[in-house]
Amino acid sequence: MKCPFCFNDDDKVVDSRISKDGRSTKRKRQCNSCGKKFTTLETIILSSPLIIKKDGRRESFDRQKLLSGLIKACEKRPVPYRNIEEIVQSVEKWIEETNLKEIKSEDVGKHVLGKLKNTDAISYVRFASVYLSFKDINELYENVSELIKKQS
Ligand SMILES: [Zn+2]
């Protein structure tokens, strides 16, 4: 941090105070060049948005959870692990680029399905049945027949 008085960037922390909610820290610093004191504020910046689950609960995006969900959906299917990794990476990139604070888990699922659609139909249906939680067999059927139409 540059000293606001002499612009030297060599200082030492002389005091640290964590805010009541524990989300920020104030540090009193002393410039090693001119000796003047100044305060800096450190706060948490969430690097990824929160995922809103179907029941309204929020949780941070869990890469591992998505990866294992995909592995399960692609079990015994001719889908190379590299493709699964690529899907997860594309989701991460998309989440990063949306710039939203919160994203519906359903939208995450749809993004994955968009990728999975062109990879393997069986894996697609497996993943869809978990993520989109179809109301009944008819809804699942509609989704699948739409997919078949597109493929033929
Ligand atoms: Zn200074």
Side-chain angles (χ1 to χ4, degrees):
M1 200 72 74
K2 269 197 168 81
C3 167
F5 307 104
C6 73
F7 305 109
N8 186 289
D9 59 5
D10 182 28
D11 63 67
K12 60 173 185 276
V13 175
V14 290
D15 188 28
S16 287
R17 240 165 250 187
I18 298 169
S19 67
K20 269 190 195 136
D21 63 5
R23 294 178 67 86
S24 62
T25 303
K26 271 185 182 168
R27 295 189 204 284
K28 193 169 267 178
R29 296 167 183 272
Q30 185 169 29
C31 175
N32 283 332
S33 174
C34 71
K36 282 187 175 142
K37 285 176 184 162
F38 56 96
T39 306
T40 54
L41 181 66
E42 191 178 300
T43 58
I44 296 165
I45 296 171
L46 285 175
S47 52
S48 58
L50 292 174
I51 306 297
I52 311 170
K53 308 212 311 182
K54 280 183 210 93
D55 60 8
R57 276 186 296 152
R58 267 82 165 156
E59 61 180 29
S60 54
F61 173 68
D62 188 342
R63 178 186 214 276
Q64 200 52 44
K65 202 169 150 191
L66 178 62
L67 187 66
S68 52
L70 268 165
I71 290 171
K72 210 176 274 174
C74 298
E75 204 172 24
K76 291 177 185 154
R77 296 297 308 161
V79 181
Y81 185 76
R82 180 172 44 85
N83 285 16
I84 297 173
E85 266 278 312
E86 273 168 15
I87 293 173
V88 174
Q89 273 164 17
S90 121
V91 170
E92 281 181 314
K93 192 163 173 275
W94 168 71
I95 286 176
E96 215 172 277
E97 284 167 0
T98 54
N99 242 337
L100 294 168
K101 293 259 180 287
E102 296 182 319
I103 298 176
K104 280 190 204 150
S105 69
E106 205 186 313
D107 290 339
V108 176
K110 278 179 187 160
H111 186 90
V112 174
L113 288 167
K115 299 275 164 198
L116 211 50
K117 207 170 232 176
N118 307 316
T119 308
D120 182 60
I122 300 289
S123 309
Y124 170 87
V125 173
R126 283 184 189 157
F127 194 84
S129 67
V130 174
Y131 255 82
L132 302 181
S133 56
F134 299 115
K135 279 197 258 3
D136 51 39
I137 192 81
N138 286 328
E139 205 182 321
L140 175 64
Y141 178 75
E142 272 167 36
N143 209 282
V144 174
S145 49
E146 200 183 302
L147 180 69
I148 292 167
K149 239 182 274 164
K150 271 181 193 153
Q151 281 195 337
S152 55

